[in-house]
Amino acid sequence: MDQEDRIALFLDYENLALGVRDHHGGRAFDLRPIADALAERGRVVVRRAYADWSYFDEDRRMLTRSHVELIEIPQRMGASRKNAADIKMAVDAVELAFERGYISTFVIGTGDSDFTPLVHKLRELNKRVIGVGVENSTSALLPPACDEFLFYDRLEGVEVPPAAGRRGRAARPAATGAPPPAERPAERPAEPAVEAAPAAEEPARDVDTLSVLVAQTVAGMQGSSGGEVTASSLKRTLLRKDPTFSESDYGFRTFGELLRHLAGHNVIELAAGPAKGDPEVSLPERGDREVAFALLRSVVVDLAGEGGAAALSGLKDQLRRARPDFSEKKLGYRSFLQFCKAAATSGAVELRWSAEAEDYLLTPQTA
């Protein structure tokens, strides 16, 4: 038990409940998917939810059965009441961080960017912070501030209505226990439009994108530390890059399953690590990389002949004509120039800067 993370859960309940109601076709908020996700991450020792509970009668019963402490913030002066709830929650979280040193992780359930300073303060106090919010009502400012961010919509056990049903804010039946529209609690002004994360701009979550992300991350970790990269350290680094990262978004049940898939496609190599179940991850030393270097040399020969030179500009397009699936990023290189420098180091080509051409020139390496 001493190795388990101790977790404190704080819920800005009105934000979550209304977010689910507005974007999930009037459904009621369910704590169980969040509780299950946190159970996989550690032991939850504090559960608190903040709201004016006169508006969430049925929800109150559900939370009480889940052993959540309900903090009452009575409605008195509209928006100032909502601010009072936020302040109370922030003060309680910071106070707990000082008084309960054994609590290592704080979970902040909200989509409101006003809690970003709280997240920064908790991390400054050496606490891990996990955010939880409804995807379409979460400010774009909040997830990057957290160590990890869980979108409620993507949690196991949450039934998400079709996308068409989540667009707009047309009137819908109120969720059980939520206030009718006329009695709905005052809300703070909507987040600025620039903070919204439009669904149309969500990056494609395909395995090719994943291959690039993992290869670049492994290459960066190997270059910065010079030591071994384990699966656990790789997962932590991926979460630091993108706190919303989850292998389940790509169709994998576990991170280990994801790594085995990428190893099977020669994106990475796996070897026994320092601990059981935590393999060492590295980039292939040969294989696709050597094939790519040979491809580069053959394209340079075709363009310039054995005694000529090919300019770097436009060369990548020529490689893609010969091999449409070519991507230097899948091989762990951040740029095409870096890939060409590696090819030069391996002896496949020669690379030099030409002041006259104002470009890099590549020539086939002579035997």
Side-chain angles (χ1 to χ4, degrees):
M1 182 177 292
D2 289 340
Q3 301 302 316
E4 290 183 318
D5 279 341
R6 265 63 164 196
I7 299 173
L9 172 63
F10 287 80
L11 300 176
D12 177 10
Y13 194 78
E14 185 176 312
N15 181 281
L16 292 174
L18 296 182
V20 171
R21 190 185 81 176
D22 288 348
H23 299 289
H24 286 209
R27 287 181 170 88
F29 173 81
D30 184 6
L31 180 67
R32 176 51 54 187
I34 295 177
D36 289 346
L38 297 184
E40 298 167 357
R41 290 163 171 78
R43 180 180 172 215
V44 181
V45 296
V46 175
R47 300 174 177 86
R48 294 180 186 174
Y50 297 74
D52 183 342
W53 296 108
S54 64
Y55 290 101
F56 301 99
D57 193 48
E58 290 299 322
D59 305 62
R60 179 173 57 188
R61 294 185 179 91
M62 176 268 295
L63 293 170
T64 300
R65 288 193 295 269
S66 299
H67 310 287
V68 176
E69 180 183 359
L70 307 182
I71 309 300
E72 179 74 35
I73 308 292
Q75 183 173 7
R76 292 191 181 93
M77 299 176 64
S80 65
R81 173 204 58 82
K82 187 68 175 78
N83 291 337
D86 293 353
I87 294 170
K88 171 66 173 169
M89 180 168 148
V91 169
D92 285 356
V94 172
E95 181 180 39
L96 199 67
F98 279 105
E99 291 185 347
R100 304 288 187 269
Y102 56 82
I103 295 179
S104 57
T105 302
F106 282 75
V107 178
I108 308 298
T110 185
D112 193 340
S113 62
D114 287 354
F115 284 96
T116 304
L118 170 62
V119 173
H120 290 317
K121 178 55 66 176
L122 291 172
R123 295 185 68 184
E124 183 181 323
L125 295 172
N126 198 30
K127 304 298 183 182
R128 174 174 167 81
V129 181
I130 300 175
V132 182
V134 179
E135 190 162 9
N136 286 346
S137 62
T138 294
S139 166
L141 298 177
L142 188 60
C146 302
D147 293 294
E148 183 179 2
F149 198 92
L150 306 175
F151 284 117
Y152 175 84
D153 322 60
R154 302 181 190 174
L155 295 178
E156 185 70 27
V158 176
E159 295 183 7
V160 181
R166 299 198 305 270
R167 300 179 70 88
R169 298 178 63 89
R172 300 183 178 90
T176 304
E183 300 178 12
R184 177 171 172 162
E187 301 178 53
R188 64 170 61 78
E191 296 284 356
V194 295
E195 293 187 12
E201 297 181 7
E202 182 177 343
R205 295 181 181 273
D206 54 57
V207 178
D208 282 343
T209 303
L210 179 64
S211 300
V212 170
L213 175 64
V214 172
Q216 285 187 317
T217 302
V218 173
M221 293 175 70
Q222 288 179 329
S224 61
S225 66
E228 64 184 21
V229 177
T230 62
S232 58
S233 63
L234 175 60
K235 178 66 178 287
R236 288 193 298 269
T237 304
L238 290 172
L239 284 171
R240 283 196 290 268
K241 285 187 170 184
D242 178 10
T244 68
F245 171 81
S246 173
E247 58 273 7
S248 63
D249 290 338
Y250 299 90
F252 299 98
R253 294 169 296 177
T254 65
F255 190 63
E257 182 179 327
L258 180 156
L259 293 180
R260 289 190 293 274
H261 172 84
L262 295 181
H265 287 73
N266 205 35
V267 176
I268 58 172
E269 291 182 347
L270 298 177
K276 184 178 180 180
D278 191 14
E280 182 179 343
V281 185
S282 61
L283 295 175
E285 292 298 327
R286 302 187 67 82
D288 282 356
R289 192 174 307 193
E290 298 302 317
V291 171
F293 290 163
L295 173 65
L296 174 64
R297 186 184 188 282
S298 67
V299 170
V300 170
V301 169
D302 290 342
L303 291 175
E306 288 292 343
L312 180 69
S313 301
L315 186 58
K316 183 174 178 179
D317 291 336
Q318 298 298 324
L319 263 70
R320 283 183 168 169
R321 287 192 180 95
R323 182 177 168 182
D325 64 341
F326 170 79
S327 171
E328 75 280 358
K329 293 182 172 58
K330 287 184 182 179
L331 301 172
Y333 299 105
R334 289 180 170 80
S335 67
F336 185 64
L337 175 59
Q338 186 186 29
F339 166 75
C340 291
K341 288 180 177 179
T345 301
S346 73
V349 295
E350 292 181 353
L351 179 71
R352 62 183 176 84
W353 172 258
S354 170
E356 182 179 350
E358 295 185 346
D359 199 355
Y360 283 97
L361 298 180
L362 290 86
T363 55
Q365 183 74 286
T366 55

